[in-house]
Amino acid sequence: MASDQRHNYILNFGCTHPVFEQETRSGFVQKIYIMYHGTKVENVESILRNGFRNSVHTRKLLGGGIYVTKDIDKTGAYGTVTFKLLVYPGRVKRVEKDDDPERVTWPQHYNSAWIPPGCNTTMIPSGLEENCVKSKTQIRILGICRGWPELTREVQSMTNFVGQSHTGNTLDHRERKILHDMIEEEGILYTHIVHVNSNLFLQRNPRNNDSRAVFGEFRENDDRQLWTRTWDHCIENKFDGTVLEINESLLICGERQKDQGHGLKTQNFRIHEGVLINRPTNRTISPVDNCPFLKAVKFNKSEKWRFVSFDKHWLLD
């Protein structure tokens, strides 16, 4: 197990779930687990090329989504091939009753749903757990741990074989690199956000009485330049827990406000294909000419941003 107190995260390799855990300044707990997915051999190539496809049948146990499990033995019921995965559940809806009103509608307010093992419900007579996630962006494929000989050489060349010694909760160096890339790409770990066009970094205004977000040169060990994207779709600053927000046309750091469990529309951000975008309004973030402030403009794919993690020491442990 490795930890970094400055970043408030814990890594568990070869121990118990989860393999990654971080508590943000505002109290959000973000976790990544090793899970598995069983499927038929004819589905493997499509999954490797295009990612997992959501099931859309509302009659399924937890409705539409991508079904995964921590129990590798359970996957055999769904096909002869088993994927080993990294899964970021986000905000989890716990389902313990057959008549739970959100049993299949949970994607409206949650990122995943979970029926705990041993749950007293007629839905799963075996008592095994069930997990369903909302989006394939919450999943990274580590390799194939069952059914490898059934795959053609062409399909085998698209992924990796995971031996029995690397199932369970262990991650080898290659898999740790996939974990690092996942938490960097999705902004789960506290990371820097860099404006690729100028190589300048987004930061909380050093003037505490000024809420406007600014950007400037890289500053080592400055929490004002560290950000994490929480599962309510907000981008939170490590220094004081404020989140990015559009105020008229300016980008500011404001107090998090919740609407049905998610951030307000003006606080709802993601980086999509390199563009820092406010999801509901489809406005992108762009520097203001000749000053350090930022503004929201009509969608402009030429302004590129990305999460960048300089914390890679644990890859070498």
Side-chain angles (χ1 to χ4, degrees):
M1 181 170 68
S3 65
D4 187 315
Q5 295 301 317
R6 202 180 79 79
H7 282 53
N8 296 337
Y9 67 77
I10 297 174
L11 298 162
N12 290 314
F13 298 140
C15 302
T16 57
H17 290 295
V19 291
F20 171 88
E21 182 175 351
Q22 173 183 262
E23 182 174 354
T24 74
R25 179 63 180 266
S26 65
F28 278 71
V29 178
Q30 298 163 288
K31 300 178 181 181
I32 294 176
Y33 293 85
I34 292 175
M35 295 193 191
Y36 302 93
H37 177 87
T39 191
K40 297 177 181 179
V41 65
E42 56 264 31
N43 298 331
V44 174
E45 182 175 356
S46 174
I47 291 172
L48 292 172
R49 291 189 184 280
N50 307 308
F52 288 96
R53 186 173 61 182
N54 285 35
S55 62
V56 295
H57 303 295
T58 57
R59 292 183 180 179
K60 285 184 175 290
L61 190 60
L62 292 169
I66 302 165
Y67 284 79
V68 293
T69 179
K70 301 188 192 81
D71 186 350
I72 189 173
D73 294 328
K74 182 180 178 180
T75 63
Y78 301 95
T80 57
V81 178
T82 298
F83 284 89
K84 181 183 180 184
L85 312 168
L86 292 172
V87 178
Y88 175 50
R91 188 186 188 204
V92 181
K93 167 61 181 175
R94 185 183 178 112
V95 178
E96 298 186 79
K97 297 181 179 179
D98 298 349
D99 59 353
D100 189 312
E102 294 183 300
R103 182 170 64 85
V104 298
T105 61
W106 57 266
Q108 296 176 17
H109 306 304
Y110 295 86
N111 309 108
S112 66
W114 176 52
I115 299 175
C119 189
N120 185 22
T121 172
T122 60
M123 293 184 294
I124 309 180
S126 66
L128 298 176
E129 72 161 10
E130 190 70 73
N131 300 269
C132 187
V133 299
K134 183 177 179 178
S135 169
K136 65 181 181 181
T137 62
Q138 297 169 248
I139 297 174
R140 295 296 185 276
I141 295 173
L142 295 175
I144 302 292
C145 57
R146 188 173 63 93
W148 182 261
E150 300 182 37
L151 305 178
T152 66
R153 289 187 178 182
E154 179 183 0
V155 174
Q156 288 179 349
S157 69
M158 299 168 63
T159 186
N160 293 279
F161 171 65
V162 180
Q164 289 298 314
S165 62
H166 291 290
T167 55
N169 217 52
T170 61
L171 293 178
D172 61 22
H173 188 272
R174 177 191 63 82
E175 292 170 328
R176 294 188 191 191
K177 176 64 167 56
I178 295 173
L179 171 62
H180 177 273
D181 291 347
M182 179 184 191
I183 60 180
E184 180 180 57
E185 290 164 4
E186 300 301 322
I188 300 170
L189 179 71
Y190 274 114
T191 59
H192 291 80
I193 299 179
V194 62
H195 182 237
V196 177
N197 308 58
S198 64
N199 204 34
L200 295 175
F201 293 81
L202 180 66
Q203 69 181 56
R204 174 78 165 87
N205 200 318
R207 297 178 179 178
N208 291 334
N209 61 346
D210 191 337
S211 64
R212 290 176 294 183
V214 298
F215 71 129
E217 300 291 340
F218 173 76
R219 297 167 62 93
E220 190 173 6
N221 298 328
D222 187 347
D223 287 347
R224 291 178 176 84
Q225 285 193 351
L226 291 176
W227 306 86
T228 181
R229 186 170 185 268
T230 49
W231 41 253
D232 61 344
H233 307 312
C234 293
I235 295 181
E236 178 185 315
N237 184 252
K238 179 164 173 51
F239 177 72
D240 58 4
T242 55
V243 298
L244 293 181
E245 178 181 343
I246 294 178
N247 187 339
E248 295 181 352
S249 63
L250 282 178
L251 185 68
I252 68 169
C253 295
E255 296 296 327
R256 176 188 265 108
Q257 304 293 327
K258 291 186 178 181
D259 178 15
Q260 303 264 348
H262 293 295
L264 294 180
K265 291 182 178 180
T266 55
Q267 297 178 344
N268 193 321
F269 286 91
R270 65 173 175 166
I271 293 181
H272 178 65
E273 297 182 353
V275 178
L276 180 56
I277 183 171
N278 178 249
R279 293 158 53 102
T281 63
N282 204 37
R283 289 195 289 174
T284 55
I285 303 304
S286 175
V288 178
D289 294 337
N290 302 318
C291 73
F293 303 118
L294 299 129
K295 62 183 178 180
V297 300
K298 290 183 178 180
F299 184 81
N300 181 1
K301 65 180 180 180
S302 66
E303 295 289 349
K304 297 294 185 181
W305 301 80
R306 67 186 179 100
F307 290 108
V308 179
S309 171
F310 296 103
D311 178 26
K312 295 180 171 64
H313 71 276
W314 53 270
L315 288 170
L316 305 176
D317 290 348

